[in-house]
Each structure stands twice: as structure tokens, then as C-alpha cells.
Amino acid sequence: GDYPRFKAQSGVERQQLGALLIQVDAAIHKLDSSDHFHERLADSLANQVDEVLRARRQLIETSQDTISWPLMLAMCAWLAVVFGVFGLLSPRNAVVYLSIVTCAICVASAIFLIDDFDSPLDGLLRASSDSMRATLSRIDAP
């Protein structure tokens, strides 16, 4: 088909794409099904467009970070106080020091992973966008 080419805009949401998807959804719901085959085909198309609209909405909603910096700062301060109290109230020997450091490293790595997985397309651990780019190149190919 002749797919429209949209210019890159600032932000994630493309207004023209949203309008086009809504027009497609409305056109599918207006289809007149003359027999059982066409009725099932229209239902299948409507379900697919609904899934695309749902996925698009989810991508737009999750494009920004969901963990706020004040919350992260408060949590890290609270954990520093907890580990500080553990250090002050525990006996002074190598086993206690090693266990406190090990626990602190485990908690810090868990917080790091949660923060890094909050935005999967950037950061130290990334999800590859190669499959999405390959799909878009196939869609855009004449």
C-alpha cells in the first residue's frame, strides 16, 4: 500500500499516526458484513486494530521515567540510616563488616537494576531496538 511518511516531531506521540489509526478503526467498524466469513474477518481486523491502539497507548504512557528522583533520594537516605544503625549497633569484627557490606551491595544493585529497567531503551542495560527498526524499514519500503 501507499503508506504515509510522517516527519519526526518532538516527543513520542505522533498526532497524524494517531488520527490515521482512529480512522482505520472507524472504517473497520463501519464495514458491512454480508456473510459469516466477512463478519469474522471484520472482527479479526477490529481486534488487531484495538491491540495496536492499546500497544501505542502503552508505549506513549511508558515513554517517561516512572521513578521520581525525590523518591529515589528518600529511599537511599533511609537505607543509609538503616545500614548506619546496623553498623553502630553490631559488634566490631570482620564477619559483621563483611555481611553489612554484602547486604549493602545487594540492595544497591537491586535499586540500580530497578532504576535501569525503568527506561529499557537507554542506560547501562538496554533492550535492542533492532527488531523494531527492521520492521519499520520493511513497512516503509516501497
Side-chain angles (χ1 to χ4, degrees), residues 13-33:
E13 185 178 7
R14 305 292 186 259
Q15 298 293 332
Q16 297 95 344
L17 179 61
L20 179 67
L21 287 172
I22 290 172
Q23 287 176 355
V24 168
D25 188 40
I28 289 172
H29 286 295
K30 289 180 184 177
L31 287 177
D32 185 26
S33 54

Side-chain angles (χ1 to χ4, degrees), residues 15-83:
Q15 298 293 332
Q16 297 95 344
L17 179 61
L20 179 67
L21 287 172
I22 290 172
Q23 287 176 355
V24 168
D25 188 40
I28 289 172
H29 286 295
K30 289 180 184 177
L31 287 177
D32 185 26
S33 54
S34 58
D35 58 1
H36 185 65
F37 172 75
H38 287 99
E39 182 179 327
R40 283 189 9 222
L41 185 63
D43 288 341
S44 174
L45 288 173
N47 289 337
Q48 289 176 8
V49 169
D50 288 342
E51 186 65 31
V52 167
L53 287 170
R54 190 175 309 114
R56 179 177 183 271
R57 195 168 32 250
Q58 183 179 7
L59 283 173
I60 291 170
E61 289 171 356
T62 60
S63 65
Q64 297 178 354
D65 293 339
T66 56
I67 300 174
S68 66
W69 281 107
L71 174 66
M72 184 69 77
L73 185 66
M75 184 173 61
C76 289
W78 175 74
L79 286 170
V81 167
V82 167
F83 280 106

Side-chain angles (χ1 to χ4, degrees), residues 63-130:
S63 65
Q64 297 178 354
D65 293 339
T66 56
I67 300 174
S68 66
W69 281 107
L71 174 66
M72 184 69 77
L73 185 66
M75 184 173 61
C76 289
W78 175 74
L79 286 170
V81 167
V82 167
F83 280 106
V85 169
F86 286 160
L88 289 175
L89 298 178
S90 63
R92 311 271 187 235
N93 60 34
V95 174
V96 172
Y97 291 147
L98 183 64
S99 64
I100 289 176
V101 168
T102 303
C103 290
I105 289 172
C106 290
V107 170
S109 63
I111 291 172
F112 171 74
L113 286 175
I114 290 169
D115 186 41
D116 202 37
F117 286 148
D118 186 41
S119 54
L121 296 178
D122 58 351
L124 186 62
L125 303 173
R126 296 181 191 179
S128 176
S129 62
D130 292 340

